[in-house]
Structure formats: structure tokens, C-alpha cells
Amino acid sequence: MSLTFDDSFALGLDGDAEVIPSGFVLDVNQNMNAKQQPKRTSSMAGDFYQLAFPASDDEQDHKSEGDNSLNGNGTYLVNLAAENLCLQKKLNRQSDEIKEVRAQLRGYDYEHALSSDSAAVDSLHLEGLAKENAEHSALLEIYNVPEFCRMLICDLKPRLAHQLTPCLPAYLMLAGFRYQDHAKDEEGLTGLFSALHAQIKETVTKSNDLDVLILWMVNTCSLFNLLRQYSGEKNKEWPAGNTEKQNSHRMQNFSVEPIRNQLKLRIDDCYQKLMKSAIEPVLTPKIVPGILQHDSASPIMNPQKLTRQHSKDTTQMQSLDDLIEFLNLIHRKLKIFGADPVLIGQIFSQIAHWICALALNHLMFRKDLCSFEKAIQIKHNTNEVVNWLSGKGLKAYADHFEPLVQATHLLMSQKHESNLDDLCGEMTSRLTKKQIIAILQHYTPSDGFEEDEITFDFLRKIGDKLAERPGEDQLIVPGTYLTPFDSQPFVHSDFPLETLSLPACIRLNSVSRLL
């Protein structure tokens, strides 16, 4: 304990009084009640004193309590360490028991696989050595259904899928169904399909990506056809093209018709999502610039406008190229992922309908498009798309453009009473009465051509002539209408199931094996 004095004062010791200067420090180490003679230290100046007092009882008690506290903490730590050691031994015993249970597992409980609260149980499986040109029975044993579905559907990215065998997921699903059919396990078969069905539905619902939707549209259609080709049902058409080996792979114990019915719903949903969410939003903005506004034919019609054309925006100049490039993109992805001709045909049939419908709806109500020069330009652009379809083997779907082609013929024809039979005959057979009248009402005579304005009397005569034509008389073409997908056409697969393999890149060897 130290005492500091700021001012000088007199301290009497043994009757003598001495003056203690300011700044003097006292160290109190003894009892303050005991009077002792201050000792002058040799190391201190003559004006400084040191007082020593004995330690107090309170300080000794506090020190004793601190020692007891340390002893108590030490005992607590020893007990805690012993308790932790006991828990660790218990945990080790439980871990050993879990390993023993896992070693006894055989297969997988499908009821738990479908339960959201169940946990996947890993089993130890040995992988067979890879052999070239090895054949097997095309049966896929799946140890862990949820993991198999996740790896095959969720983890399979399009950039990886296009490097694998086309429609590989569909073939692996079929091999899994065949294993359950071979084992006569109805619960296993329905459980496997339910898990795959739910995963495909979730993947398609959450995605707007063109690659993902094409990938699973192709594989669901392929699986649908495979379940017909390899079914055990009495249908002569489906197995007609099978080899003897393929017939040996047909289902033996269960009818898969209920599975096909459920799968058809997924095909319809996937087709709807692909066309309306991935294709139509990108295609629609390209139709009017590419078909109606692209002026690649204008220099031929009027060379004086060549300089003006070169001054236009580059995007407008390439609008038709952009449209055809997008069609190329869709076709290329369908081929890469293994789409069959029926699927490709239905997709491009719908695309051709959309292009023609939207272009015709705009043409009928725009005076700047209803002219002789524009008609030649529009026909040229339409022919470019038709030629592209023919080059891809899709010429049958070029018929969707016929109403638009006939509209251009109407704009380029002579519009006088002597030509009524042609105007209202075969030349406009794919156009309705209202559509023909609308186009003629908005027709603008071209500069440099000796043409008169179309009169109301001429339109009335056209209407009277067209009144004899049967059929519906609608004006607007339903441009956004999506024709339902037709899954009835059957497509045979020549792929030999016995040559299937599990690529290491998708890690399915850890949850399944081919027998």
C-alpha cells in the first residue's frame, strides 16, 4: 500500500518532529496501529522515509479463497475430461454398431425412398472392371434410388449430356425398370418410377433454360417410346422392328401402361414449357424484322436505294440471318441430344405456324407493308425460311407458310374486275374472306406503277365473289396458340441395350450397377 503526500507536513516520531516534503511516498506493509521508527534507507535522499506495515488479515483470507477456487476448478476440469472420455467411448461403440448394420443391408427400402423424412443409407459396393465391347443383360440394379435420381436428372448438365450417348438417361431408366420387372418387384418398379417422375417434373418446372428443357423433352419422349417397344403387351406394331435380342429384353411380368400414361403428362408439360418459355419469347421478336422488314431484295428492285440501305442499322440488315440462326440453334440442340424425327417435326411445325401467323397478322393492318415492292421482299424472306426447312429435311412443314405466300401473290396481282376469278380463286385459297378484304383495304399503289386506288365498289365485288367460298371466316390467325403434342406416333430404337455403360463422369457406379 502506497501513500503519496502532495504538501509538506510534520510527522512526529519518538517525540521528534520532522518535516516530510511534498512528493513523499509511503509503502505500508505493516499494521497501521503499530508505531515504528521510520528507517532511512541509504539509497534514498535524506528527505524521504519508508514506512513498513504487516499484511492485513483480509488480504490473507482473500489469498486463501483464491487457492480454494483454483483447487475447485481443477477438480471440475478433471471430472469434465472423464465425462468426455466416457461419451467418446459410447460414440465409438455406436459407430461400430452402425457399420455392422450397413454391412448387412441388401438393396433399398423404396417406401423410405419416397418419404421426405427418410435418410439415404450408403452401402459398400464393388465396381466391376471396365471391359471393351462387353455385353450384359441390360438390367440396372439401383442401390440408392434418391441419389440415383439426383445424379441422373439434377446433376446431369446439358454440356455434359451432349458428350454422352444420345438419350442415355432414357436407356438407363428402362434398364432400371427391367431389373425390377425381372425381380418381380412391383413395389420397387412403381417406387423407382415415382422417384424419377417427381424429379423430372421438378427439374422441368423450375427451369427456363433451352438446353435443359430440350434435354428432358428428348429423354421423356425416348423413354415413352422405349416403354412401348419393350413392353410385354400384345401390340404387333411396337415390337415389329425388334431383333431377337431386343425381344429378349421385353418386360416379362408387369404391364407398364400406367407408367406410360403418367409419363405422357410429363411430355405434355415439358413440351408446353419448352415452346412457351424457351422458344416463343426469343422467336417472336425476330419474326417481324426477319420476315416483313428485312430488305435484302430491295437493291434488286431499286438500285438507287442501295446507298440508303448500306446506311441502315446493322441489326436490321441481319434480322433474317438472326431468325435463321435461331432456327439452326434449336435444330442443332435437338439433334445433339438425340431427338427423333417425329419430335423435331412437331417442334418446327409449331414454329412455322407461329412465324406465318404473326407475320400475316401484322401484314393485314399495316399500309407500309401492303405494297408491290414489300410483297416481293416478304416473299423472298419467306422463301429463305422455306428453303432452310427443306435443307433440314422438314419440307413437309413449309405448308404452314402458304397463307403468307398467297398474301404476297395477292399484293403483286392485277387488281381490277377482269381478274376477280384469280383474286378469289386458287391463288388465295388459304386466305379467308376477311383476310383478303383487309389486305386489299390497306394496299398502297407503288410509285412508278400505273395503278389506281382500290375503290369501295371493287371491294364489294370481291366480297360478293368470296361469299361463295365455304369454311370459317376468321380475320386474326391465333398466333400464340400451341398445338398439343401428339405422342401417338411410335418411333423404334435400334440401340442395343446390352452395350449400355455407366460413364464415370456421372458417378452412377456408386449407386447402381449393370448386371
Side-chain angles (χ1 to χ4, degrees):
M1 178 177 180
S2 299
L3 300 177
T4 304
F5 301 94
D6 294 332
D7 299 324
S8 299
F9 67 96
L11 179 65
L13 298 174
D14 296 336
D16 298 329
E18 293 187 16
V19 178
I20 299 178
S22 62
F24 179 69
V25 179
L26 295 180
D27 290 335
V28 182
N29 296 319
Q30 297 181 4
N31 194 333
M32 295 180 63
N33 295 327
K35 292 184 179 181
Q36 294 185 2
Q37 179 71 27
K39 296 172 62 179
R40 187 186 299 268
T41 60
S42 60
S43 61
M44 300 176 62
D47 294 335
F48 294 90
Y49 294 85
Q50 181 177 5
L51 299 180
F53 300 92
S56 65
D57 295 338
D58 292 340
E59 291 181 354
Q60 292 179 353
D61 293 342
H62 181 71
K63 183 177 180 181
S64 177
E65 290 176 359
D67 293 340
N68 293 335
S69 177
L70 290 176
N71 292 334
N73 290 338
T75 303
Y76 174 75
L77 291 175
V78 171
N79 294 337
L80 185 61
E83 184 179 356
N84 287 342
L85 182 61
C86 181
L87 292 175
Q88 183 62 42
K89 292 180 179 179
K90 184 178 180 180
L91 183 62
N92 292 339
R93 287 196 303 270
Q94 292 177 346
S95 178
D96 293 339
E97 292 175 0
I98 291 175
K99 291 180 180 179
E100 292 177 2
V101 172
R102 285 180 175 176
Q104 298 173 2
L105 288 176
R106 295 290 186 272
Y108 186 80
D109 187 349
Y110 289 97
E111 292 183 357
H112 290 288
L114 299 177
S115 173
S116 59
D117 297 331
S118 63
V121 181
D122 296 330
S123 302
L124 178 63
H125 299 282
L126 300 179
E127 298 182 10
L129 297 176
K131 298 180 181 180
E132 295 184 359
N133 300 324
E135 294 187 0
H136 45 74
S137 59
L139 300 175
L140 182 64
E141 181 185 6
I142 302 173
Y143 317 129
N144 191 329
V145 172
E147 280 297 296
F148 176 82
C149 296
R150 182 185 63 81
M151 291 179 179
L152 183 63
I153 299 174
C154 293
D155 294 351
L156 182 60
K157 304 303 179 184
R159 63 178 179 273
L160 176 61
H162 75 76
Q163 300 176 6
L164 305 176
T165 301
C167 299
L168 177 65
Y171 294 127
L172 293 177
M173 293 179 200
L174 176 66
F177 295 155
R178 290 191 62 251
Y179 174 82
Q180 302 299 337
D181 176 79
H182 182 76
K184 299 181 180 180
D185 187 355
E186 179 182 359
E187 183 180 0
L189 177 57
T190 56
L192 175 60
F193 172 73
S194 297
L196 291 168
H197 178 269
Q199 196 67 69
I200 293 174
K201 180 179 180 180
E202 181 181 0
T203 300
V204 170
T205 301
K206 291 184 177 180
S207 178
N208 289 323
D209 182 74
L210 179 64
D211 288 22
V212 172
L213 294 175
I214 288 181
L215 171 63
W216 290 110
M217 181 68 199
V218 170
N219 277 278
T220 48
C221 285
S222 177
L223 180 60
F224 184 77
N225 283 314
L226 289 172
L227 289 176
R228 290 190 285 185
Q229 179 178 344
Y230 289 96
S231 71
E233 302 166 35
K234 296 180 180 180
N235 186 299
K236 296 182 179 180
E237 177 190 0
W238 298 340
N242 285 355
T243 63
E244 183 178 352
K245 188 72 171 179
Q246 287 178 321
N247 281 328
S248 68
H249 293 327
R250 296 176 66 184
M251 298 289 184
Q252 303 295 327
N253 298 296
F254 300 110
S255 170
V256 292
E257 183 178 3
I259 292 180
R260 289 200 307 269
N261 293 337
Q262 290 293 317
L263 194 62
K264 186 178 182 301
L265 299 177
R266 297 282 67 77
I267 293 175
D268 295 338
D269 291 345
C270 191
Y271 180 70
Q272 176 85 15
K273 192 70 181 293
L274 170 64
M275 300 303 294
K276 301 297 286 187
S277 298
I279 293 181
E280 186 183 25
V282 181
L283 175 68
T284 300
K286 299 179 182 293
I287 295 175
V288 172
I291 300 297
L292 302 181
Q293 296 176 345
H294 187 77
D295 54 356
S296 59
S298 60
I300 301 175
M301 290 299 304
N302 192 350
Q304 296 178 355
K305 296 183 179 180
L306 184 60
T307 304
R308 187 187 308 171
Q309 177 178 342
H310 280 289
S311 65
K312 290 185 178 180
D313 185 75
T314 305
T315 303
Q316 183 178 354
M317 293 290 295
Q318 298 178 348
S319 53
L320 179 60
D321 296 335
D322 290 343
L323 175 61
I324 293 179
E325 180 58 33
F326 182 61
L327 299 181
N328 270 320
L329 176 68
I330 298 172
H331 186 268
R332 182 168 61 252
K333 291 182 181 298
L334 287 168
K335 297 293 288 185
I336 286 175
F337 291 125
D340 58 72
V342 173
L343 174 58
I344 295 176
Q346 291 199 47
I347 289 177
F348 279 98
S349 175
Q350 183 65 56
I351 290 176
H353 169 75
W354 278 343
I355 294 175
C356 179
L358 187 60
L360 185 59
N361 288 338
H362 278 76
L363 174 65
M364 290 187 295
F365 300 101
R366 290 180 56 174
K367 292 182 69 67
D368 61 319
L369 297 176
C370 292
S371 64
F372 184 87
E373 295 92 337
K374 279 293 183 180
I376 295 179
Q377 173 185 317
I378 294 170
K379 184 178 180 181
H380 167 78
N381 297 337
T382 304
N383 286 338
E384 288 293 314
V385 179
V386 170
N387 292 337
W388 180 89
L389 290 172
S390 300
K392 299 298 182 181
L394 302 169
K395 187 177 181 179
Y397 309 105
D399 183 66
H400 287 287
F401 290 96
E402 192 61 25
L404 185 59
V405 173
Q406 290 188 1
T408 62
H409 291 167
L410 178 62
L411 292 172
M412 291 186 292
S413 64
Q414 295 181 356
K415 302 165 187 63
H416 50 75
E417 295 183 9
S418 61
N419 200 31
L420 284 179
D421 291 338
D422 291 337
L423 294 176
C424 302
E426 189 65 26
M427 186 179 68
T428 58
S429 59
R430 298 290 294 273
L431 297 173
T432 66
K433 172 184 174 181
K434 291 182 179 179
Q435 290 170 350
I436 295 173
I437 296 297
I439 293 173
L440 293 177
Q441 282 178 335
H442 292 86
Y443 179 75
T444 303
S446 302
D447 297 336
F449 290 89
E450 295 181 357
E451 288 186 304
D452 298 329
E453 292 283 347
I454 295 179
T455 63
F456 176 78
D457 184 61
F458 179 76
L459 291 176
R460 182 180 57 80
K461 292 179 180 180
I462 290 287
D464 294 340
K465 189 71 174 177
L466 292 173
E468 304 172 1
R469 178 180 294 184
E472 296 182 1
D473 189 19
Q474 63 178 5
L475 176 61
I476 302 298
V477 183
T480 60
Y481 174 72
L482 179 63
T483 305
F485 186 80
D486 184 11
S487 57
Q488 285 301 116
F490 170 70
V491 180
H492 182 272
S493 173
D494 295 328
F495 182 81
L497 295 179
E498 62 275 7
T499 62
L500 265 179
S501 62
L502 296 175
C505 57
I506 55 179
R507 300 178 290 110
L508 289 177
N509 289 313
S510 61
V511 294
S512 61
R513 66 170 179 171
L514 285 165
L515 302 180

